[in-house]
Amino acid sequence: MKISSKVLRSLTAILFLLLTAAGLLWHTGWGTLSSFGWKDIALICPLGAIEVMLAEKTFIPQAFFGLAAVFLICTIFGRIFCGWVCPVPLLKRLFRKRDEVRIDEQKTREAPGAPHEEKTEGSAAVPLACAQSSPANCAMEAEPACSACASVRKAHAETEKSSRSSGARNAGPLAVLAGALASSAVFGFPVFCLICPVGLTFALLIALWRLFEVNDLSWSIAIFAGFLFLEIFVLRRWCGNFCPLGALMTLLSRFNRTLRPTVSRACLRESKGLNCRVCATACPEGIRLTEPDGGSSHAHCTKCRRCAESCPEGAITFPLIPGKVELSDAQNPRSQRRTGAALELEKRRTTFLPAVGTLTLSEMREQSARCIECGACVRACPQHPDIPAWMALLREERVRDAALLMLEKGRLPEICGRVCPSERLCESACPVAGGAVPIASLERAAVERVLA
Ligand code: SF4
Ligand code: SF4
Ligand code: SF4
């Protein structure tokens, strides 16, 4: 059984918490991730190191070596700490309601996008659904003549807007970083360390440990827990909007060239000219791997692997040495369209069972993972449901979340999934090779599971 990177990332973060607990249990003195010590080696968090040197207005060799060690790690692995080690995303995953996470993710998604596009040599990408005789010209007109081209222009404008807002989002953590360093220099102590959620998590762990070991009940437990609650659950998007440690790691990762997500020629944009955006919408850092200037944002990559796991073509890898990767067809995990199995004729005659069976959970995951989030089906359906969002949830096996989304806006998915002529509506627009994504079958299977 293949374990998802989400599970592996959670297990890794838990392992570091357990190591801290083991240090407390056996009094090893190796401390925490924020302040680590082993024999003659003593390392502190890179942000804490700079803050302490600024506060003391002196060069501290141990702090400098800690900073150099983190720089080396960031140069080799990038912001891997944020994706795999930091306890803050783990706490979010453990304690926030799944629906809240979904709503947050929905907010960061782009609006349902353009129709699937086709590249014509030397011209702008144009929609396959364009009604004009010279579609490239139509798409470039100030007032496009058909709605398909107008959608393309709108989606391009949204992409621009989204890029600008991601730039503004980076400004937040950098401003907090500047404030943290300046305040340390002014007040003479590392101010941000008092409220750093990473440090607070370990401080809370230590305080709880003391409570159980020596019955030391102090106010610090409530204070640490209160600040953590505020930063993780009230400020919500702490990592993207505020975290100065993440901003510092991004700066230190600018020279990272190894283990970078790399798109092979199997990518649907390159191989088939389709407007696939799955990896861009899956990336929590808003990195657009398929865009020429995507390299400038690689320093933000946390190596979380969400893009690679979402790609319907398996076109994203993390090579040790950078470069364009070729994938053979044998490595291409793409599957064919599959709907529920037809009931045997004899059973159809003698029972009231449905003539077509329901997709299993693994079939739902496999079929939804074929969606490239082009949005063509959204426009083909008179109700314009956010089908790409359903598919994104189903590929993560979040069937309940997907079903709740299907049930929004007074829709009747349990009926649509069975009787709607989907092969002439949404599925007729789906450009995925190997047969359209079985949207109706997935809709029916998801809702049946939840309402059963
Ligand atoms: S580019 Fe891929 S690995 Fe990097 S942060 Fe985005 S989803 Fe994660
Ligand atoms: S998800 Fe895969 S196929 Fe789609 S744009 Fe990204 S790399 Fe290309
Ligand atoms: S189901 Fe098909 S048409 Fe709809 S967004 Fe996915 S790939 Fe595009």
Side-chain angles (χ1 to χ4, degrees):
M1 189 184 67
K2 196 175 169 218
I3 303 174
S4 74
S5 69
K6 188 163 98 178
V7 174
L8 287 175
R9 279 184 279 125
S10 296
L11 290 176
T12 313
I14 289 171
L15 179 70
F16 278 93
L17 289 173
L18 288 177
L19 280 176
T20 304
L24 293 169
L25 178 62
W26 288 299
H27 303 285
T28 59
W30 58 43
T32 69
L33 277 177
S34 307
S35 172
F36 174 82
W38 179 251
K39 297 192 175 165
D40 292 337
I41 304 169
L43 299 173
I44 61 170
C45 142
L47 179 55
I50 303 177
E51 281 186 291
V52 168
M53 286 195 277
L54 283 173
E56 298 289 328
K57 297 184 182 53
T58 181
F59 176 78
I60 303 172
Q62 279 177 336
F64 177 78
F65 289 135
L67 192 57
V70 174
F71 176 66
L72 190 64
I73 292 170
C74 288
T75 302
I76 299 171
F77 298 106
R79 279 179 62 198
I80 201 165
F81 173 85
C82 299
W84 290 78
V85 181
C86 181
V88 175
L90 173 73
L91 291 175
K92 270 191 200 165
R93 280 197 291 274
L94 289 181
F95 294 113
R96 276 176 64 181
K97 280 195 237 158
R98 303 197 88 191
D99 286 357
E100 282 181 30
V101 177
R102 175 178 69 77
I103 289 162
D104 265 15
E105 284 173 4
Q106 285 297 111
K107 281 182 187 160
T108 60
R109 287 171 62 85
E110 291 170 49
H116 43 289
E117 295 169 10
E118 191 175 53
K119 279 182 197 151
T120 55
E121 219 164 300
S123 74
V126 295
L128 293 177
C130 180
Q132 301 302 301
S133 53
S134 53
N137 294 341
C138 172
M140 301 311 290
E141 292 288 338
E143 285 298 328
C146 76
S147 60
C149 290
S151 307
V152 168
R153 288 173 63 92
K154 185 164 169 259
H156 287 174
E158 275 161 4
T159 303
E160 286 295 308
K161 198 170 138 204
S162 155
S163 306
R164 279 200 298 275
S165 67
S166 100
R169 204 181 64 204
N170 298 336
L174 281 175
V176 179
L177 174 63
L181 298 182
S183 57
S184 298
V186 171
F187 296 111
F189 71 96
V191 178
F192 179 75
C193 290
L194 294 179
I195 55 163
C196 170
V198 182
L200 283 174
T201 306
F202 288 107
L204 181 61
L205 186 67
I206 293 168
L208 288 172
W209 186 265
R210 289 183 61 79
L211 174 64
F212 288 110
E213 194 182 39
V214 292
N215 217 8
D216 177 14
L217 178 61
S218 75
W219 281 104
S220 56
I221 295 179
I223 294 169
F224 295 157
F227 269 106
L228 266 179
F229 180 82
L230 182 75
E231 288 165 10
I232 296 177
F233 301 104
V234 179
L235 294 180
R236 294 199 168 201
R237 304 198 66 216
W238 168 267
C239 302
N241 291 347
F242 303 102
C243 183
L245 184 56
L248 180 62
M249 296 236 183
T250 302
L251 293 175
L252 296 177
S253 300
R254 291 201 83 80
F255 300 103
N256 169 240
R257 293 292 178 276
T258 48
L259 299 170
R260 273 168 52 152
T262 307
V263 179
S264 81
R265 291 189 210 289
C267 171
L268 290 169
R269 296 180 83 92
E270 191 169 335
S271 62
K272 298 205 169 54
L274 294 175
N275 185 27
C276 179
R277 301 175 303 156
V278 174
C279 51
T281 51
C283 178
E285 299 297 324
I287 298 170
R288 294 165 191 279
L289 295 172
T290 53
E291 287 186 6
D293 64 345
S296 61
S297 52
H298 269 284
H300 294 271
C301 178
T302 61
K303 319 290 182 198
C304 69
R305 294 190 58 86
R306 283 173 70 162
C307 53
E309 289 184 352
S310 305
C311 175
E313 288 292 298
I316 300 172
T317 53
F318 291 76
L320 191 59
I321 309 295
K324 198 87 174 170
V325 185
E326 297 283 355
L327 282 192
S328 70
D329 283 347
Q331 286 174 286
N332 186 341
R334 184 171 217 171
S335 59
Q336 298 288 309
R337 170 187 166 94
R338 190 178 307 159
T339 55
L343 198 67
E344 294 160 26
L345 202 56
E346 185 54 31
K347 282 197 179 155
R348 288 179 70 169
R349 270 204 290 261
T350 55
T351 68
F352 288 103
L353 289 171
V356 179
T358 311
L359 292 172
T360 64
L361 189 60
S362 65
E363 286 171 337
M364 287 167 74
R365 188 186 58 229
E366 179 191 280
Q367 291 297 314
S368 56
R370 298 173 62 232
C371 171
I372 61 170
E373 298 190 10
C374 64
C377 52
V378 179
R379 284 172 298 282
C381 171
Q383 293 195 51
H384 307 307
D386 193 354
I387 295 170
W390 304 353
M391 300 302 159
L393 292 168
L394 288 177
R395 82 166 67 97
E396 290 181 21
E397 294 190 4
R398 292 166 61 181
V399 182
R400 186 181 143 75
D401 291 340
L404 287 176
L405 207 55
M406 291 169 186
L407 286 159
E408 275 176 358
K409 297 183 189 164
R411 297 185 68 252
L412 296 170
E414 61 276 42
I415 295 173
C416 274
R418 286 171 186 273
V419 301
C420 181
S422 54
E423 64 286 351
R424 283 193 279 124
L425 294 170
C426 57
E427 291 177 12
S428 72
C430 180
V432 171
V437 174
I439 300 168
S441 300
L442 287 163
E443 187 179 18
R444 175 187 154 193
V447 176
E448 270 184 11
R449 274 181 169 263
V450 172
L451 296 183

